[in-house]
Amino acid sequence: MTRRVVTGNSDLIRQLNRSLVLDVIRRQGPVSRAEVRRVTGLNFTTVTNAVADLIADDLVKEVGLGTSSGGRKPVLLTLNPTARYVLGCELQSAKLVIGLFDLAGNLVGRVQKPKCPRTSPDEAVARIAEGVREVLAAAGVSAEKVEGLGVAAPGPLDAESGVLLTPPNMVGWQNVPLRQLLEEATGLPVMLEKDGNAAAAGEVWFGAGKAVRNLILIIVDDGIGAGIVIGGQLYRGKGGAGEIGHGTLDLDGPRCSCGNHGCLEALASGFALGRKAAELIRRGVNSQLADLAESGIGTEHILAAAEAGDKLAADLLDECGRMLGIAVANTVNMYNPELIVLAGRLAQRSPIVLERALQLGRARAFPVLSNQVRIVRSGLGDDFLVRGAASLILARLFRGPVNLFPS
Ligand SMILES: [Zn+2]
């Protein structure tokens, strides 16, 4: 499928109207044309033409008659959720997952491919293209029915130009034109977004953020990052907004991968906890992680050890939760959001981290603002980034080519 190119003002307005009508039918269907006119404020001809267009594209179906308000019974319209599909890809230093979703957001296929920090851009692109072919074949979906591929990748990146700039922990990835490479390899339209932003988009589309206009999502995993939605729009700044993991919490703290000292990420990320665990074990602290101290202690090991009752792991997670709580409180004060979503393995799977973060996040924020915010953990599971990536394409289809998340 070719990318829809907007060539002029009337074309743009036609596309926006089409998205507007389609979104109302998605959210409120089965719904009559008259109701679509009432909700959108569009006139008779515009709605009639847009619906005819959508039916011709198989995106909308007529499904029987509604109740009459005097005259003829109106024909009801509904979304055809399997008319098209969207793909989401989570690309991380050591993880590569591709998911296929229908237009109602149901996961209809998933494939995980090998990926390590040394996987080159060419190899990764080839594996994503292979994964796309596999997941489509397994689900029996032809590529012509795919609306696009959304990719959630580590920053910093330029979402506009689709270029991955200098992702830490990915060897040999500098200024990679990932969108172009993936469009060539898959033949699909591709959208690239920083992982935190994609995850925030996923919460708006699928999760706790539905109908929320101001939300911050914080990912607490091997690294720490955030996505920001302000006034219903993703906020990217000049491209790099959301680097909450590199806010300084301890002026003289440990050195961070960014070159600074005492960043949240250097104190509370999975990588940081692993380093700290190994150091404490070398100094004689008892732990069931001792055997791993030389080969490397990862996020997964710490979560498993804490669950098995290991005191060192539990203490480290407690400290992670405390640091995260301060970051949450600072975020509440800075942005006054309605919602903060905590995602990533440390926040989603450790009750200790979550409890501490909620407690301190509220206690240390400005009281009035603290009372206005809901703080929750993501309910989208391990694949929250795959969903977030797919939601970028859904948002473009249903919300139009100009704004990702208009009200
Ligand atoms: Zn840093």
Side-chain angles (χ1 to χ4, degrees):
M1 181 176 288
T2 51
R3 181 190 290 272
R4 284 202 193 92
V5 180
V6 177
T7 51
N9 206 21
S10 61
D11 228 23
L12 177 63
I13 288 167
R14 200 180 57 80
Q15 278 192 34
L16 284 172
N17 288 341
R18 181 186 143 104
S19 296
L20 194 58
V21 168
L22 182 60
D23 201 34
V24 170
I25 295 169
R26 175 184 74 88
R27 285 187 285 115
Q28 305 197 3
V31 63
S32 68
R33 285 171 177 80
E35 184 63 9
V36 172
R37 286 200 298 277
R38 195 188 65 75
V39 175
T40 60
L42 297 173
N43 68 31
F44 184 90
T45 312
T46 304
V47 170
T48 304
N49 290 344
V51 168
D53 225 33
L54 291 165
I55 289 175
D57 273 358
D58 203 28
L59 281 162
V60 164
K61 289 188 296 195
E62 294 186 329
V63 282
L65 303 174
T67 46
S68 162
S69 56
R72 275 193 303 165
K73 287 183 179 175
V75 176
L76 297 180
L77 305 164
T78 185
L79 175 73
N80 178 9
T82 56
R84 301 276 195 289
Y85 293 82
V86 298
L87 286 156
C89 171
E90 173 184 357
L91 172 66
Q92 298 203 336
S93 66
K95 193 176 174 196
L96 180 52
V97 180
I98 295 143
L100 178 69
F101 301 84
D102 68 19
L103 296 183
N106 300 305
L107 181 72
V108 293
R110 179 188 187 279
V111 62
Q112 184 150 4
K113 306 296 281 181
K115 168 88 177 68
C116 76
R118 306 202 72 85
T119 307
S120 72
D122 284 349
E123 279 172 294
V125 166
R127 283 176 203 170
I128 293 171
E130 189 182 72
V132 165
R133 283 194 298 274
E134 285 171 10
V135 80
L136 290 179
V141 170
S142 73
E144 287 73 40
K145 290 185 101 179
V146 177
E147 196 67 23
L149 166 68
V151 180
L157 59 77
D158 185 335
E160 296 277 318
S161 63
V163 174
L164 219 58
L165 300 174
T166 50
N169 313 317
M170 280 162 75
V171 183
W173 289 62
Q174 261 85 44
N175 300 314
V176 175
L178 188 63
R179 185 174 70 204
Q180 187 197 333
L181 294 174
L182 283 173
E183 287 187 340
E184 285 166 6
T186 64
L188 296 167
V190 173
M191 288 177 81
L192 178 65
E193 193 61 74
K194 196 160 83 155
D195 40 20
N197 284 344
E203 292 295 333
V204 170
W205 201 260
F206 291 112
K210 282 180 188 165
V212 170
R213 295 188 56 75
N214 304 291
L215 84 88
I216 314 287
L217 177 134
I218 304 176
I219 299 176
V220 197
D221 205 281
D222 287 341
I224 297 178
I228 304 166
V229 173
I230 296 178
Q233 301 289 325
L234 278 179
Y235 176 76
R236 302 190 183 103
K238 286 282 283 173
E243 292 297 347
I244 193 171
H246 299 286
T248 305
L249 283 189
D250 178 356
L251 280 179
D252 305 309
R255 195 173 168 83
C256 182
S257 62
C258 72
N260 204 343
H261 285 267
C263 298
L264 174 64
E265 182 162 303
L267 296 164
S269 66
F271 283 148
L273 300 187
R275 275 195 304 271
K276 192 136 176 226
E279 187 189 314
L280 289 169
I281 288 165
R282 274 195 292 274
R283 283 203 234 141
V285 175
N286 238 334
S287 167
Q288 57 180 259
L289 293 166
D291 290 348
L292 295 165
E294 293 312 314
S295 58
I297 298 170
T299 305
E300 207 63 46
H301 301 134
I302 291 170
L303 285 167
E307 209 171 316
D310 187 72
K311 184 169 182 311
L312 173 63
D315 287 348
L316 288 171
L317 290 175
D318 188 87
E319 187 61 10
C320 165
R322 281 165 49 83
M323 295 291 164
L324 179 60
I326 297 305
V328 166
N330 289 345
T331 301
V332 170
N333 288 351
M334 184 82 169
Y335 293 98
N336 185 202
E338 299 140 74
L339 177 68
I340 293 181
V341 182
L342 303 176
R345 282 175 293 172
L346 289 170
Q348 283 173 271
R349 301 223 321 248
S350 167
I352 306 173
V353 170
L354 186 70
E355 194 182 311
R356 277 282 172 277
L358 292 183
Q359 183 194 354
L360 267 182
R362 288 207 178 278
R364 297 301 179 94
F366 200 58
V368 176
L369 307 189
S370 174
N371 291 334
Q372 292 172 334
V373 68
R374 217 159 35 98
I375 307 172
V376 300
R377 116 177 107 173
S378 173
L380 298 183
D382 287 351
D383 283 338
F384 70 95
L385 278 172
V386 183
R387 278 196 175 271
S391 75
L392 302 168
I393 306 291
L394 287 171
R396 193 176 60 186
L397 177 66
F398 288 104
R399 302 287 164 87
V402 176
N403 294 323
L404 270 180
F405 299 104
S407 56

